[in-house]
Amino acid sequence: MAERRLRLGMLGYGTVGSGAYRMLEDNQASIQAKTGTRIEVARIGVKDAQKPRDLSPEIFTTDLDSIVNDPEIDTIVELIGGTDPAGRLVELALNNGKNVVTANKELMAKHGSRLVHLAKSKRLDLHYEAAVGGGIPLIQPLKHQLAGNDVLKMMGILNGTTNFILTAMQQDGADFAEVLPDAQAKGYAEADPTNDVDGFDTMYKISVLASIAFGRQVAIEEVHREGIRSISKVDMKYADVLGYVIKLLGICEPVGDRVRVRVHPTFLPKTHPLASVNGVYNGLWLHGDFVGDVMFSGRGAGSDPTASAVVGDLIDVARNMAIDGPGSALPYDPDMPTESITTLRSRYYIRIRTLDRPLVLGKIATAMGQRGVSIAAMEMKTIVPHEEGEIVFLTDYATESDFREAVASLTAEVGVSKVHATIRVED
Ligand SMILES: NC(=O)c1ccc[n+]([C@@H]2O[C@H](COP(=O)([O-])OP(=O)(O)OC[C@H]3O[C@@H](n4cnc5c(N)ncnc54)[C@H](OP(=O)(O)O)[C@@H]3O)[C@@H](O)[C@H]2O)c1
């Protein structure tokens, strides 16, 4: 029997591209044994022709269109990142009849619905397992093994940089500004950390997961997003005393026929399975109506783990090509109706600076109670005897809009000089 071949055009040879190439080389024999197909990298597209590389220069080109237009290449793996030129090249590849594997969360979060429909209409594969959770299989289980469930809640630690920073703050009793340079020196945070620490990366990832779980694309503009810059070591300490850790979570949950998707720092009980996902590790916890609680965790980024997901997708492509299958892109429609965060019912942590006077506590409790927010737990600390104190509350369940009104009412009139922090609590 003639040997089957999959001729691959690779766009990008950076952290993930070089890892995927190495894995295809190192594990070639076993991959061929499992698929009956020899996966060959025919061409690799890069930006900088002068950069020293560990492969012979003939395989590289800076003319990425020539790869995507090459009739000898049947599958494209896009590992450039961003939407331009990656989006145009992916679309061109699909229009040229090529299967596509990508690790690009931003592209899928912004244009996923359109691209999967295009792939489906052409009977092609479009896989993107590496786009969320690096080496952890999340997308395929959501698309297939868990698809019979109604997902009642999904929460993920989806960004290794922020999890590394928060874990270091917790373990070393350090502030964000002290930990960030160390994360940068270790290569866990970019020189410009905005994408990670302000929650954009998690927003892309949770919107991709929500789109799959709920079957329609969640527009990123509909995702409530907060980052971790304002978290302090003081809040970390109170969290610990109260039995919680602070994690940046991507959360989605159905609300009637809508879905609410949000990204923010969260007080998470120490007993929650996600609470022990530390450092650069990622985790996803979900509750399905039939399966119950499910937890995934592992290495969410890095050359080797991400290569593992990319190569897994390529193996799916090879198997599908071998049976001359109809393509395995799973389409989902655009425009998932979404629910605002203002209707969320949650518990909250709040840390305030008070004028240390008698009656202040009663006034604060009354002001909050009048807005429908009652206090469930409290810690107090005197900062300057008889002058200033710090009070920390955990509230009972309240709506976000009531809580915001209650916070706005905490002024000098009721003896509050500053609201330092408010953080949502997941129990
Ligand atoms: N890094 C991770 O751990 C990780 C994990 C999960 C998903 N991802 C995703 O994987 C993708 C790739 O990430 P990465 O970390 O491997 O990126 P990277 O190390 O920066 O590599 C990007 C590659 O794309 C090439 N490239 C960039 N812009 C280009 C352009 N305009 N034209 C042609 N080539 C261009 C670069 O060329 P030069 O080599 O010439 O610079 C480089 O080879 C992204 O979508 C990212 O979100 C990454």
Side-chain angles (χ1 to χ4, degrees):
M1 193 175 73
E3 181 185 75
R4 275 195 306 269
R5 283 172 183 231
L6 184 155
R7 285 185 53 85
L8 192 62
M10 199 176 244
L11 311 181
Y13 191 74
T15 305
V16 183
S18 59
Y21 185 95
R22 197 163 27 81
M23 188 174 182
L24 288 170
E25 285 284 299
D26 290 359
N27 295 355
Q28 191 184 71
S30 65
I31 291 170
Q32 192 164 345
K34 286 176 203 164
T35 60
T37 302
R38 188 180 168 80
I39 301 178
E40 283 178 1
V41 180
R43 298 287 277 158
I44 304 176
V46 290
K47 188 176 187 178
D48 179 358
Q50 308 307 321
K51 221 183 236 183
R53 319 255 179 204
D54 55 1
L55 299 178
S56 103
E58 295 78 57
I59 198 165
F60 293 102
T61 176
T62 53
D63 180 3
L64 278 66
D65 282 74
S66 72
I67 300 180
V68 173
N69 287 323
D70 183 343
E72 296 295 311
I73 287 175
D74 49 64
T75 300
I76 294 291
V77 56
E78 184 279 304
L79 303 169
I80 300 173
T83 52
D84 183 35
R88 183 184 65 74
L89 291 165
V90 164
E91 203 161 337
L92 183 59
L94 292 169
N95 277 318
N96 284 346
K98 300 183 195 314
N99 302 296
V100 171
V101 170
T102 175
N104 193 329
K105 69 218 100 176
E106 184 178 351
L107 180 64
M108 293 309 294
K110 290 180 176 170
H111 304 294
S113 171
R114 194 165 51 78
L115 294 172
V116 284
H117 274 287
L118 175 59
K120 185 75 188 166
S121 72
K122 302 271 180 188
R123 298 168 64 87
L124 292 164
D125 281 21
L126 171 58
H127 293 292
Y128 46 97
E129 183 62 61
V132 185
I136 315 167
L138 298 179
I139 289 175
Q140 289 287 4
L142 270 180
K143 275 183 182 171
H144 299 290
Q145 293 82 2
L146 297 170
N149 287 268
D150 282 345
V151 173
L152 303 178
K153 189 149 190 170
M154 185 156 63
M155 305 203 290
I157 296 171
L158 301 172
N159 179 268
T161 304
T162 43
N163 205 38
F164 175 85
I165 292 172
L166 291 173
T167 305
M169 287 173 68
Q170 181 193 326
Q171 289 173 351
D172 306 344
D175 260 324
F176 174 80
E178 297 169 76
V179 171
L180 179 63
D182 182 43
Q184 286 166 321
K186 289 190 165 116
Y188 294 143
E190 306 269 341
D192 175 3
T194 306
N195 198 35
D196 297 315
V197 302
D198 293 323
F200 290 96
D201 182 77
T202 302
M203 171 187 76
Y204 295 138
K205 291 168 174 171
I206 192 69
S207 81
V208 169
L209 294 179
S211 303
I212 297 165
F214 295 96
R216 286 175 75 174
Q217 179 142 8
V218 175
I220 51 172
E221 297 75 23
E222 303 293 319
V223 179
H224 176 86
R225 177 185 53 79
E226 296 169 29
I228 63 162
R229 286 185 203 261
S230 64
I231 302 297
S232 84
K233 62 183 175 192
V234 181
D235 300 313
M236 283 281 173
K237 205 157 199 166
Y238 278 119
D240 185 44
V241 168
L242 293 161
Y244 294 86
V245 292
I246 302 177
K247 295 289 188 189
L248 181 71
L249 297 185
I251 304 176
C252 74
E253 64 229 319
V255 185
D257 57 2
R258 297 169 174 268
V259 60
R260 183 190 292 114
V261 188
R262 50 196 166 109
V263 174
H264 54 70
T266 310
F267 263 48
L268 198 64
K270 287 177 185 173
T271 50
H272 193 283
L274 283 173
S276 51
V277 175
N278 286 323
V280 291
Y281 274 67
N282 283 195
L284 182 79
W285 170 92
L286 67 78
H287 185 79
D289 58 350
F290 274 71
V291 74
D293 290 357
V294 180
M295 173 77 191
F296 303 83
S297 70
R299 288 160 71 194
S303 188
D304 289 6
T306 312
S308 158
V310 169
V311 171
D313 280 352
L314 287 170
I315 287 173
D316 254 8
V317 173
R319 288 183 174 141
N320 198 37
M321 283 171 69
I323 56 166
D324 203 13
S328 58
L330 211 76
Y332 51 86
D333 288 334
D335 302 329
M336 179 78 209
T338 53
E339 181 71 20
S340 158
I341 192 147
T342 54
T343 61
L344 174 72
R345 275 187 74 73
S346 178
R347 298 180 66 213
Y348 298 85
Y349 159 89
I350 177 164
R351 178 165 63 91
I352 54 182
R353 180 67 64 104
T354 59
L355 308 170
D356 196 10
R357 292 188 315 224
L359 305 181
V360 159
L361 202 55
K363 280 188 181 175
I364 292 170
T366 305
M368 292 179 69
Q370 281 169 344
R371 274 98 187 161
V373 181
S374 53
I375 292 164
M378 188 186 75
E379 292 281 328
M380 278 179 86
K381 193 168 92 183
T382 298
I383 307 286
V384 182
H386 311 302
E387 283 183 28
E388 271 193 301
E390 187 169 73
I391 306 184
V392 158
F393 298 118
L394 285 185
T395 72
D396 269 333
Y397 280 91
T399 63
E400 176 89 8
S401 53
D402 284 349
F403 179 72
R404 288 183 187 181
E405 274 191 38
V407 172
S409 76
L410 299 179
T411 60
E413 222 166 277
V414 295
V416 174
S417 54
K418 188 168 170 59
V419 176
H420 283 293
T422 63
I423 302 175
R424 296 176 193 85
V425 178
E426 285 291 329
D427 275 320

